[in-house]
Amino acid sequence: MSNPRPQGKQRSLEMRSLQDFAAGKLGELDRASLHRVLAETERHDGVWVSRNGRRLLSFCCNDYLALSQHPAVKAAAIAATQRYGVGSGASRLVTGNHPLFGELERRLARLKGTEAACVFGSGYLANSGIIPALIGRDDLVLIDELAHACLWAGARLSRATVLAFRHSDVAQVETLLAAHRGAHPRVLIATDGVFSMDGDLAPLPELAALARNHDAWLMTDDAHGIGVVGGGRGSSFAHGVDVDVPLQMGTLSKAIGGYGGYLCASAPVIDLIHNRARSFVYSTGLPPATVAAAIAALDLIEQEPAYAALPLAKARAFTRALGLPDATSPIVPLLLGEADAALRASQRLEAEGFLVIAIRPPTVPVGTARLRFTFSAGHSDADIARLAATVHQHVMER
Ligand SMILES: *Cc1c(COP(=O)(O)O)cnc(C)c1O
């Protein structure tokens, strides 16, 4: 027998406890300057946005190459919609596997130097599906403490033992492998290739050597690498030596300008992913327009490596102007400590016409709230100089 639905007074009591719960949680967030709200934002080109009726120059989009606005990319999306419609209709294993997927996956594999690739609905879905498909209860995941939330989500979903290592601490990874490798059939080492909130590169040559010596599998999340470091090929190609990373995951929603996630790996691994990754099997394929847009974006990146190098060059101009450590990616953090300090700095920059978001816990560790600047090929040199002068006057001298 099914339970009767609660009626009248009992129902409103339930509603009340739910509302009280939400209000109580929000009160805690408010008091800690951690309450986040959505701000409606219109983007018209790669770098200018309108918000609350004001035009602001954005330094917080991940659209590093402004490809979300590129005429050739938009035209490809429109043409694919005309030809195939707006949705893919089902999971790719049913009828959702329109012909554009194969083309995009061949292109991604070529760019990353792997046998095969698999496109997912998003980067978050990719990480949630990949790790549990390869790693199980008896296994071990070693993960950088600053790895992206969805790499953590995938690790936890796998039900494996998950051990964090200090940020980019290769010596600690070696110690953990020496202590624990023998107790687990399989071990995955998971790290961002370019760290999303710090902009630094993971020590991939060293991690790859450790993985090789201890029969562990190295997985990189290259969301902020593809298109902008390593000649556009990503973090595995940004170290001046060939680094063997058998699992290269990333997103199509940052430098590629659209939406979706991917894994580049060997053919058997990709075949297994098609069969075992639940976020692939049980989720609808991306719309044709989105896949066509990604193909067009990859065309542009492959044809114009000098353009792909611009965001990093702009970030370097900014760090040099302010005497900060040289940028190693288009992401530059300015650590301010407490959440309210980061918020106030963001508000002062907004008053000067710049949109730079304050990044607060839990996105970053407590006490490391910051401004996070991201640089785009669409920023002019004069924009960078103006930003640097404003940050110097309104953030660093306060
Ligand atoms: C943005 C991001 C993701 C998530 O990708 P989506 O396609 O936006 O879901 C994953 N990993 C890192 C490091 C990211 O910065």
Side-chain angles (χ1 to χ4, degrees):
M1 241 179 67
S2 63
N3 288 326
R5 291 185 60 183
Q7 302 276 324
K9 192 155 173 219
Q10 192 191 339
R11 179 131 191 251
S12 71
L13 264 178
E14 269 181 29
M15 291 285 291
R16 171 65 71 74
S17 73
L18 176 57
Q19 251 71 282
D20 287 351
F21 167 77
K25 283 283 174 198
L26 290 170
E28 287 169 22
L29 291 174
D30 271 331
R31 285 188 291 281
S33 297
L34 296 177
H35 188 176
R36 305 178 186 201
V37 291
L38 294 168
E40 226 167 66
T41 309
E42 272 186 47
R43 298 178 60 239
H44 302 289
D45 62 6
V47 292
W48 285 96
V49 305
S50 338
R51 188 180 266 199
N52 303 321
R54 286 186 66 212
R55 256 166 66 80
L56 299 166
L57 187 59
S58 170
F59 285 92
C60 48
C61 300
N62 300 318
D63 188 10
Y64 298 113
L65 300 173
L67 293 182
S68 75
Q69 312 292 330
H70 194 287
V73 178
K74 290 194 211 177
I78 292 164
T81 300
Q82 296 290 9
R83 181 154 182 204
Y84 298 111
V86 292
S88 68
S91 161
R92 291 180 56 191
L93 288 167
V94 183
T95 55
N97 196 39
H98 52 76
L100 295 167
F101 277 113
E103 190 184 341
L104 175 57
E105 287 168 344
R106 284 189 293 279
R107 300 293 297 275
L108 285 166
R110 190 171 79 198
L111 185 73
K112 296 282 189 177
T114 59
E115 275 176 7
C118 175
V119 166
F120 288 78
S122 74
Y124 201 113
L125 285 172
N127 276 338
S128 316
I130 295 162
I131 301 178
L134 301 173
I135 290 290
R137 206 185 282 276
D138 299 333
D139 300 327
L140 173 66
V141 179
L142 300 179
I143 183 169
D144 190 287
E145 62 182 345
L146 297 187
H148 192 266
C150 62
L151 212 47
W152 276 95
R156 295 222 168 93
L157 280 170
S158 75
R159 302 180 200 208
T161 303
V162 179
L163 298 177
F165 57 88
R166 283 184 300 274
H167 179 48
S168 290
D169 188 337
V170 175
Q172 195 190 9
V173 176
E174 184 160 28
T175 306
L176 290 170
L177 285 168
H180 301 285
R181 176 66 189 91
H184 303 276
R186 285 161 293 270
V187 176
L188 182 77
I189 302 173
T191 181
D192 290 17
V194 175
F195 283 87
S196 59
M197 296 299 137
D198 295 81
D200 53 338
L201 303 182
L204 295 184
E206 294 81 4
L207 291 177
L210 281 180
R212 208 167 38 243
N213 293 341
H214 294 265
D215 184 25
W217 304 335
L218 179 59
M219 173 174 180
T220 53
D221 177 335
D222 213 26
H224 297 278
I226 189 172
V228 289
V229 301
R233 299 179 71 193
S235 59
S236 307
F237 303 89
H239 295 268
V241 289
D242 271 353
V243 188
D244 184 20
V245 182
L247 299 163
Q248 299 179 64
M249 169 274 164
T251 177
L252 304 170
S253 56
K254 287 165 182 157
I256 311 299
Y259 200 63
Y262 66 82
L263 174 68
C264 291
S266 67
V269 167
I270 295 300
D271 198 355
L272 182 65
I273 289 292
H274 292 162
N275 285 275
R276 291 279 300 280
R278 298 177 69 83
S279 58
F280 177 85
V281 176
Y282 297 106
S283 190
T284 301
L286 281 173
T290 308
V291 180
I295 295 168
L298 288 177
D299 275 339
L300 292 165
I301 290 169
E302 283 183 341
Q303 285 159 17
E304 297 186 47
Y307 185 72
L310 283 177
L312 176 54
K314 308 275 174 191
R316 286 225 166 112
F318 176 76
T319 50
R320 289 197 178 142
L322 288 177
L324 299 170
D326 248 1
T328 49
S329 77
I331 302 167
V332 176
L334 190 61
L335 266 65
L336 295 168
E338 296 310 313
D340 60 341
L343 273 185
R344 282 198 309 272
S346 169
Q347 284 156 3
R348 288 200 293 270
L349 292 182
E350 186 167 338
E352 300 297 317
F354 296 106
L355 188 62
V356 183
I357 295 293
I359 308 283
R360 294 169 277 170
T363 306
V364 292
V366 172
T368 72
R370 65 196 65 186
L371 293 175
R372 171 182 179 266
F373 300 87
T374 55
F375 292 88
S376 159
H379 290 127
S380 71
D381 293 343
D383 292 337
I384 307 292
R386 228 159 38 82
L387 174 73
T390 309
V391 170
H392 189 259
Q393 182 185 350
H394 292 272
V395 181
M396 296 171 87
E397 292 205 322
R398 304 270 295 231

